Amino acid sequence: MDQWLTDLIAHLPSGNIYLCFIFIIALLESLPAIGLLIPGSTLIVAAGFLVSHQHGSLINIMISSLVGAYIGDLLSFELGRKYGSTLLKIQLLQRNRPMIRQAEIFFMNHGGKSLFFARFLGPIRGITPFIAGLSEMPRKNFNVYAPISAILWGISYPGIGFIGGASWQKAEGLAYKFGLSILVALIVTIAHYAIKNKLGEKK
């Protein structure tokens, strides 16, 4: 094991404290404003990577990640429903207004599916559940898409880090390819619905 990795593991907490740390990272990344400041996906991939070097339990990290991600999405959604207009006025969100507008357009175009895809699309990850709440999306729809995306994210990102355990560069590469595959799936979904709607208009 490389010396830098040995030193890193030596300074990390373990047990329940470590799992709480993973849970908090996943939760905070899902919140508006705060999520812009936290590279949660990278840190969760890193946690899986460290499991391959005998630090932590992969199953426990996956559970902590997916629970944190879902609760974070739920909090973001409720904040949007109850305080959305007020929170949009805070300075950090005002500075990122173009990104918020992208999330709004993404949500308007794709509805519930946006909650699934946004989880894997970087900057709009934390703001999309907030926009869904602000737009008064029915809770029953939220409770279909949000758990699915949280479970997939919570399992796949630590898993990617673990599979790429031979080197951090390999883990990063796998994470990039996974994100790219989600993007391709999004493009295919958009194309499918566009073609379906076009054919429907011709009838």
Side-chain angles (χ1 to χ4, degrees):
M1 189 185 300
D2 293 340
Q3 186 59 45
W4 70 269
L5 192 54
T6 302
D7 293 341
L8 174 63
I9 292 174
H11 287 87
L12 287 173
S14 58
N16 290 335
I17 294 176
Y18 184 60
L19 293 176
C20 285
F21 180 66
I22 298 297
F23 169 83
I24 291 169
I25 288 171
L27 186 152
L28 291 179
E29 193 193 35
S30 300
L31 298 181
I34 299 174
L36 297 172
L37 306 174
I38 297 177
S41 294
T42 300
L43 293 173
I44 298 301
V45 170
F49 171 75
L50 292 174
V51 171
S52 67
H53 295 276
Q54 289 76 55
H55 188 77
S57 159
L58 184 61
I59 296 298
N60 289 340
I61 287 171
M62 286 178 172
I63 292 171
S64 297
S65 298
L66 68 88
V67 172
Y70 176 66
I71 292 178
D73 280 353
L74 184 59
L75 284 174
S76 182
F77 179 75
E78 293 298 334
L79 286 171
R81 285 180 69 90
K82 296 177 181 178
Y83 310 108
S85 298
T86 301
L87 290 175
L88 283 175
K89 297 175 184 177
I90 67 175
Q91 187 175 8
L92 182 58
L93 290 181
Q94 283 291 317
R95 288 205 306 265
N96 288 275
R97 190 65 197 176
M99 182 271 296
I100 293 171
R101 182 58 184 159
Q102 284 183 329
E104 289 174 335
I105 294 170
F106 191 64
F107 176 75
M108 286 188 293
N109 288 339
H110 305 294
K113 295 186 296 298
S114 66
L115 291 170
F116 175 82
F117 286 113
R119 163 62 59 184
F120 306 93
L121 296 178
I124 65 170
R125 178 182 298 114
I127 201 69
T128 303
F130 175 81
I131 296 299
L134 180 63
S135 302
E136 299 185 352
M137 178 185 191
R139 283 191 178 89
K140 64 179 182 180
N141 292 350
F142 173 85
N143 286 323
V144 170
Y145 291 98
I148 295 172
S149 66
I151 290 169
L152 180 58
W153 184 85
I155 291 174
S156 61
Y157 275 78
I160 286 167
F162 180 77
I163 293 169
S167 72
W168 176 239
Q169 288 75 17
K170 182 180 178 182
E172 283 187 310
L174 287 172
Y176 172 78
K177 289 176 182 177
F178 181 75
L180 191 61
S181 68
I182 293 291
L183 180 60
V184 170
L186 172 60
I187 293 170
V188 169
T189 300
I190 293 171
H192 169 75
Y193 277 92
I195 293 169
K196 184 177 179 182
N197 291 337
K198 196 71 175 177
L199 291 174
E201 291 173 359
K202 291 180 179 181
K203 290 181 179 180

